[in-house]
Amino acid sequence: DDDEDEDDEEEEDDEDDDDDGVDVTDMLIDEADVETLSNYDQKLAAMFSSLKTDKAEAAKDVERLLHFKFRALDLVEIFLRRQPSSPFLFDFVMPLINAIVECHGTKKRALAERMSGILTNKLCKVKDVACPPAVPMEELSTLMEQLMVAATTAPTPVHCGLASAGMTLVVRSLLGSTSKPAAASKLVNKTYKRALADYMKRRNCRLTSRVFTDFIERQTVAAAGVLLSDLIGFGSSARSEFLRAEALRMATLIARKQNLIREQYSGKKDAEHLAGAVAKVTGETVAADWGKSQRLREALGSCQALVRFVVTHLNANLPGVEGLTSGLEALVAKQGAPGVTNAARGLLSTIRGDKTNQAGKGKKKGKGDKKRGVEEGQNGSAPEPATKVAKPTLKKRKKPKPNPTHPNPNPKKRKA
């Protein structure tokens, strides 16, 4: 009996311990008393206050980190301003581009714009860029490959333009090399030829034409040797109408800078080879079926600029003139879209060698013309000027002055 009493007492003690250790969060609200609910409210208040404190601290941490990043960019700008020809400038290119891509789609727009300004307006426009052997050729080759990958995988055309700006910086350094100029030129040619073929043929390519237009505008002589023949060829072999017109447009950008690239085609053989390519692409452009008349009009305008460059500035003979003339005449006879017809007529007149502008028409008088006019006026050989008939002048009627004594000072306005 004593053992049974001891067991009952131990069970009662265990039940009391269980009652003391019950968590208020595990109890039902309907069965809880007022004291338990008060403890429950206090714990909830403490939990929510701790969450609010954590959020405030997290927001402050984000703000501090953003401020630190802006301060780091200030140091980058100071370094670029004081060491513009340092070979370590190339170490900033890819980190800046990667950081800008990471900011895409977030609320860090101000930070992304600041980094974009540093990259495009300061880093990529330094006057005295470091060239090999100050910068290892292998380092520039690796950076060029990374930039090309960044351009082909860019999420937006803006990011592709940032990668293009970095590529132009590397190209400036490579073309200014004095140690291995042949190897540097070969690297530039290989990179842009492969990129152009990828852009014109691959369907899912994310490159934009800015990669090539930046190269043309900033390194025209190098771009003429690397891209001109390929662009003219892609004017008829690209995978879409838009890209065919785009290829001819970029070829026209090079041809319009004839003063810079004329020496490259000073040889008769090079000029004839280019003339043959221009005649071929012009004939295929005229004979092709275009879905949009606007694309055809742009392509014909580009062909006209290329023909003018070959015939006028290179003094080369355009082969197959009769076939081109007959094709253009047939295109004009179709009476299609007015823009296409006018572009075909302009190209036809350029091929035939017709002078589209009359001599002296719309030409401003120079010093010689003014002097000749004065001499003719003195010796009486100048034609008599036409007499101008004076136009009769009409007198304006004076408005009557208001009479202050009149009940209505303005008689035209009657009182209601």
Side-chain angles (χ1 to χ4, degrees), residues 172-300:
R172 285 175 56 196
S173 177
L174 289 171
L175 296 180
S177 174
T178 57
S179 59
K180 298 179 180 179
S185 300
K186 184 178 179 180
L187 177 60
V188 174
N189 294 0
K190 179 181 177 181
T191 302
Y192 277 96
K193 280 182 176 293
R194 185 176 57 186
L196 182 62
D198 192 22
Y199 176 61
M200 292 292 173
K201 293 182 179 180
R202 191 164 67 90
R203 185 176 185 83
N204 297 326
C205 180
R206 293 188 179 182
L207 287 176
T208 63
S209 60
R210 183 176 175 180
V211 174
F212 310 103
T213 54
D214 288 348
F215 181 45
I216 292 170
E217 291 175 357
R218 298 177 184 179
Q219 300 292 336
T220 306
V221 178
V226 177
L227 299 178
L228 184 57
S229 299
D230 293 347
L231 287 172
I232 293 174
F234 284 122
S236 58
S237 63
R239 60 180 178 83
S240 65
E241 292 182 0
F242 169 75
L243 291 176
R244 292 201 296 270
E246 195 71 7
L248 292 174
R249 182 187 69 84
M250 289 189 286
T252 305
L253 292 178
I254 300 175
R256 285 176 179 170
K257 298 184 179 182
Q258 64 273 0
N259 295 330
L260 299 176
I261 65 173
R262 188 181 300 171
E263 295 181 359
Q264 295 187 12
Y265 300 96
S266 57
K268 185 177 180 180
K269 187 176 181 180
D270 296 336
E272 290 179 354
H273 177 73
L274 187 64
V278 171
K280 180 181 178 182
V281 73
T282 302
E284 293 178 353
T285 300
V286 174
D289 294 331
W290 294 76
K292 292 185 178 181
S293 59
Q294 179 183 359
R295 305 294 185 206
L296 177 56
R297 177 176 58 83
E298 294 173 355
L300 291 174

